[in-house]
Amino acid sequence: DTGVSQDPRHKITKRGQNVTFRCDPISEHNRLYWYRQTLGQGPEFLTYFQNEAQLEKSRLLSDRFSAERPKGSFSTLEIQRTEQGDSAMYLCASSLAGGPPGELFFGEGSRLTVL
Amino acid sequence: GEDVEQSLFLSVREGDSSVINCTYTDSSSTYLYWYKQEPGAGLQLLTYIFSNMDMKQDQRLTVLLNKKDKHLSLRIADTQTGDSAIYFCAEGDSGYALNFGKGTSLLVTP
């Protein structure tokens, strides 16, 4: 399978704990995105990387959230001191610079439940 | 942020046409998109339209854009049960920070 893969698919944690999600994009894609989706809502943009550079961050990304893409390949999204409001599906997507605009390839998501 | 509004639910019979509507508020949107989300699967780009176009057709899909009214629609001809999914309208200008609507859940009945 050469699509976008995310791990873990589901994480249950207690409030106050830290969690980390990993995303492996399609191998030749140099752009990587994180979105968050809550029940009954559309995806909300969190952040975007081109290669290893984080070029855009949403105001939704509070200081408890940090994303990295150290070698321009996989990315991690860490949430520190989780809150119940962080419960959501965290979606990763990738695309190729120069490809059709907005053609993002999404993974199946990592569902976070904060108790 | 800017709003993208969609009706939440649509039910059609197999073989009929489906029309999913969307309104947006950001007049600077360069591109408008339709994504499909099937249960347990990632979002998939169905089609997109440049803001200087009125219509785009791609096999069973027809996208109509009324830029004056900021209204976008997706028509699916000969709707099949496999088309049952959530359809998201999205707008953007740079191609990365897409602004999605809440999605329209399409149910196709035999």
Side-chain angles (χ1 to χ4, degrees), chain A residues 9 31 33 35 37 40-45 48 55-56 59 91 100-108, chain B residues 1 8 31 33 35 37 40-45 48 50 88 94-103:
Chain A
R9 295 292 309 281
R31 291 182 172 173
Y33 316 77
Y35 281 77
Q37 186 177 21
Q41 302 294 318
E44 296 173 296
F45 171 76
Y48 151 69
L55 298 184
E56 183 78 12
R59 289 171 297 171
L91 302 173
E103 186 175 29
L104 276 57
F105 292 80
F106 281 86
E108 295 178 4
Chain B
L8 295 182
Y31 308 103
Y33 308 87
Y35 273 81
Q37 187 175 38
L43 279 86
Q44 175 191 9
L45 178 66
Y48 66 93
F50 292 103
F88 291 94
S94 60
Y96 58 86
L98 297 183
N99 186 24
F100 286 85
K102 293 183 179 180

Side-chain angles (χ1 to χ4, degrees), chain A residues 15-16 64 81-88 112-115:
Chain A
R15 191 176 53 188
R64 296 185 297 105
R81 305 182 303 283
T82 53
E83 301 173 355
Q84 287 185 325
D86 297 331
S87 295
L112 173 64
T113 302
V114 182
L115 302 177

Side-chain angles (χ1 to χ4, degrees), chain A residues 54-72:
Chain A
Q54 188 174 18
L55 298 184
E56 183 78 12
K57 289 197 296 186
S58 163
R59 289 171 297 171
L60 294 174
L61 214 64
S62 77
D63 56 7
R64 296 185 297 105
F65 288 67
S66 62
E68 295 182 344
R69 194 182 184 199
K71 297 181 180 179

Side-chain angles (χ1 to χ4, degrees), chain A residues 5-77:
Chain A
S5 63
Q6 295 188 242
D7 183 71
R9 295 292 309 281
H10 195 177
K11 177 73 176 178
I12 301 172
T13 191
K14 292 183 179 179
R15 191 176 53 188
Q17 298 295 304
N18 299 344
V19 296
T20 299
F21 300 113
R22 177 182 168 120
C23 171
D24 286 273
I26 293 172
S27 58
E28 63 269 26
H29 285 184
N30 53 353
R31 291 182 172 173
L32 187 146
Y33 316 77
W34 286 99
Y35 281 77
R36 180 174 70 185
Q37 186 177 21
T38 53
L39 195 63
Q41 302 294 318
E44 296 173 296
F45 171 76
L46 293 179
T47 190
Y48 151 69
F49 291 85
Q50 178 146 324
N51 300 313
E52 67 276 8
Q54 188 174 18
L55 298 184
E56 183 78 12
K57 289 197 296 186
S58 163
R59 289 171 297 171
L60 294 174
L61 214 64
S62 77
D63 56 7
R64 296 185 297 105
F65 288 67
S66 62
E68 295 182 344
R69 194 182 184 199
K71 297 181 180 179
S73 56
F74 74 91
S75 175
T76 57
L77 177 68

